[in-house]
C-alpha cells in the first residue's frame, strides 16, 4: 500500500487523497471504501471538544472518533465503563460543531446497545439526530452483528470494534487478543460477522500484527489498527496519548509526537510566577 503524506495530498491518478485533501463537504463512508480500493492509508484520531477537533480537522484528519476513551482522558473515570450516552452525545455535538470536513464517529458507550438491536438503534439515532454524527461505533463481533444489521438497515453507518474491547475489561483485562489458534479463529469469525452485518469499517485493537494483516487481506472494508501492527488500512490513536498529555504510562503501541504535558505545565508555572511577582498584567494588558 502507498502511504500518503501531507506533502503529497493526491493519489497517483491526480485525484484528491482522503488525508490532506481539501473540500467543502464531509468525508463519507463511501470515501473510506474508495481509499480501501486504492490502497490509500489514512489516520484517525479521537477528540472530545470543539477546539481540539477543529485543529485536527484543519490538519486534514479525515475521521475523528468521539470515543468513550473520554472517560479515562477527560472525565476522570478509571475505565470507559461509566461513560453515559448523555456524555457521549454532548461531546459528539461539540466535535461536530468544531469540524467542517471530517467524518465524526460517535461511540456507543457500555449499556447503550447490549440489550439488543432496538436499544442500539435508539441510542444510535440519538447520536445522529442530537449530536449530528455521521456514523456510530460499537464493540463486539458476532455478539453485536444483529445490532449492526438493524442500524445499517435503518440508514446509520456503523464502525465495529474487535480485539481488545475496553468495555469488557472486567472479563478480558487489558491484554493482547487473538493469540493462539482458537482465539485467532474467533477474531476472524468476528471480523467476517461484522462485515456481513454491514459495518463500513472495523477497529482492531491490540491484536498480533500478523493476524491484523490477515484480517485486512480478508475483508473488503477498511481495518483501523491500534496496537495491531502496520498492515491495517488506517491507524487510530487517542489524541492525549499521541500528543503526550496523558499522565503516567501509555501503551507500548503509542508513539508520542509531542510533550504537551510539559509544555502546558511550564506555561502554567510561568503564568503563576508572573501573577505572584506582580509582572502580569502590565500596561499592554490593561484597559482605561
Amino acid at each position: 500500500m502507498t502511504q500518503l503524506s501531507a506533502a503529497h495530498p493526491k493519489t497517483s491518478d491526480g485525484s484528491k487523497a482522503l488525508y490532506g485533501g481539501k473540500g467543502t463537504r464531509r468525508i463519507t463512508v463511501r470515501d473510506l471504501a474508495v481509499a480501501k480500493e486504492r490502497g490509500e492509508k489514512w489516520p484517525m484520531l479521537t477528540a472530545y471538544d470543539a477546539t481540539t477537533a477543529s485543529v485536527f480537522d484543519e490538519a486534514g484528519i479525515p475521521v475523528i472518533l468521539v470515543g468513550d476513551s473520554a472517560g479515562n482522558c477527560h472525565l476522570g473515570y478509571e475505565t470507559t465503563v461509566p461513560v453515559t450516552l448523555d456524555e457521549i452525545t454532548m461531546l459528539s455535538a461539540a466535535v461536530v460543531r468544531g469540524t467542517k470536513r471530517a467524518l465524526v464517529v460517535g461511540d456507543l458507550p457500555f449499556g447503550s446497545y447490549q440489550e439488543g438491536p432496538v436499544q442500539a438503534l435508539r441510542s444510535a439515532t440519538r447520536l445522529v439526530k442530537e449530536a449530528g454524527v455521521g456514523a456510530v461505533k460499537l464493540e463486539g463481533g458476532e455478539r453485536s452483528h444483529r445490532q449492526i444489521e438493524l442500524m445499517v438497515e435503518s440508514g446509520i453507518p456503523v464502525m465495529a470494534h474487535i480485539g481488545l474491547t475496553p468495555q469488557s475489561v472486567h472479563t478480558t483485562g487489558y491484554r493482547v487478543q487473538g493469540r493462539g489458534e482458537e482465539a485467532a479463529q474467533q477474531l476472524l469469525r468476528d471480523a467476517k460477522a461484522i462485515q456481513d452485518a454491514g459495518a463500513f469499517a472495523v477497529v482492531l485493537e491490540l491484536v498480533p500484527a500478523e493476524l491484523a494483516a490477515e484480517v485486512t487481506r480478508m475483508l473488503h472494508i477498511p481495518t483501523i489498527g491500534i496496537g495491531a501492527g502496520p498492515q491495517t488500512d488506517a491507524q487510530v490513536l487517542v489524541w492525549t496519548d499521541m500528543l503526550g498529555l496523558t499522565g503516567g504510562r501509555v501503551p507500548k503501541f503509542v508513539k508520542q509526537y509531542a510533550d504537551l504535558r510539559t509544555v502546558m505545565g511550564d506555561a502554567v508555572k510561568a503564568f503563576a510566577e508572573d501573577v505572584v511577582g506582580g509582572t502580569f498584567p502590565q500596561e499592554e494588558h490593561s484597559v482605561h
Side-chain angles (χ1 to χ4, degrees):
M1 292 185 177
T2 301
Q3 177 123 28
L4 298 171
S5 68
H8 299 85
K10 290 187 177 182
T11 57
S12 58
D13 64 2
S15 56
K16 291 181 179 177
L18 187 64
Y19 166 61
K22 302 296 181 182
T24 57
R25 66 169 179 82
R26 292 274 181 183
I27 297 293
T28 68
V29 298
R30 174 57 187 159
D31 295 315
L32 304 186
V34 170
K36 171 83 171 184
E37 294 169 2
R38 291 174 173 169
E40 176 190 343
K41 292 196 173 190
W42 45 273
M44 181 168 83
L45 286 171
T46 64
Y48 318 104
D49 65 89
T51 301
T52 304
S54 69
V55 173
F56 300 162
D57 194 53
E58 291 168 7
I61 299 298
V63 185
I64 296 178
L65 171 65
V66 187
D68 58 6
S69 50
N72 312 82
C73 301
H74 288 270
L75 301 178
Y77 301 136
E78 291 186 3
T79 71
T80 64
V81 173
V83 177
T84 67
L85 185 59
D86 284 343
E87 290 167 337
I88 288 291
T89 302
M90 177 190 68
L91 299 175
S92 297
V95 169
V96 170
R97 289 192 294 267
T99 56
K100 296 179 180 179
R101 178 175 179 267
L103 170 65
V104 178
V105 182
D107 220 350
L108 291 177
F110 181 75
S112 69
Y113 62 92
Q114 281 83 356
E115 290 180 14
V118 173
Q119 186 198 28
L121 177 59
R122 185 181 302 115
S123 300
T125 299
R126 184 176 173 193
L127 281 176
V128 172
K129 289 178 67 68
E130 296 183 24
V133 302
V136 300
K137 181 178 79 68
L138 83 170
E139 295 182 1
E142 289 183 325
R143 63 183 169 88
S144 296
H145 80 278
R146 293 185 300 114
Q147 285 92 325
I148 295 171
E149 284 178 339
L150 181 57
M151 287 187 287
V152 172
E153 288 172 0
S154 301
I156 299 175
V158 178
M159 177 182 290
H161 183 156
I162 59 176
L164 174 65
T165 49
Q167 293 175 12
S168 303
V169 63
H170 295 310
T171 57
T172 63
Y174 289 107
R175 59 186 179 85
V176 177
Q177 303 294 305
R179 278 184 172 157
E181 182 63 25
E182 183 178 348
Q185 289 302 317
Q186 180 59 58
L187 191 133
L188 291 171
R189 289 193 295 271
D190 285 336
K192 188 175 187 306
I194 59 95
Q195 177 175 266
D196 291 345
F200 71 87
V202 57
V203 173
L204 303 175
E205 181 167 358
L206 206 59
V207 302
E210 299 81 3
L211 181 58
E214 184 176 352
V215 172
T216 301
R217 289 190 297 268
M218 180 182 75
L219 299 184
H220 62 73
I221 62 174
T223 58
I224 305 161
I226 178 167
Q231 298 303 313
T232 54
D233 299 303
Q235 297 288 334
V236 60
L237 285 176
V238 172
W239 86 262
T240 52
D241 292 345
M242 187 269 290
L243 290 177
L245 192 59
T246 303
R249 293 176 55 187
V250 296
K252 175 184 177 181
F253 55 75
V254 172
K255 179 177 179 179
Q256 291 186 322
Y257 288 82
D259 185 7
L260 291 192
R261 195 172 186 89
T262 297
V263 171
M264 292 175 67
D266 290 345
V268 169
K269 291 174 184 176
F271 162 70
E273 290 169 0
D274 282 357
V275 172
V276 172
T279 59
F280 175 82
Q282 297 180 348
E283 181 62 26
E284 63 264 33
H285 310 119
S286 305
V287 296
H288 300 282

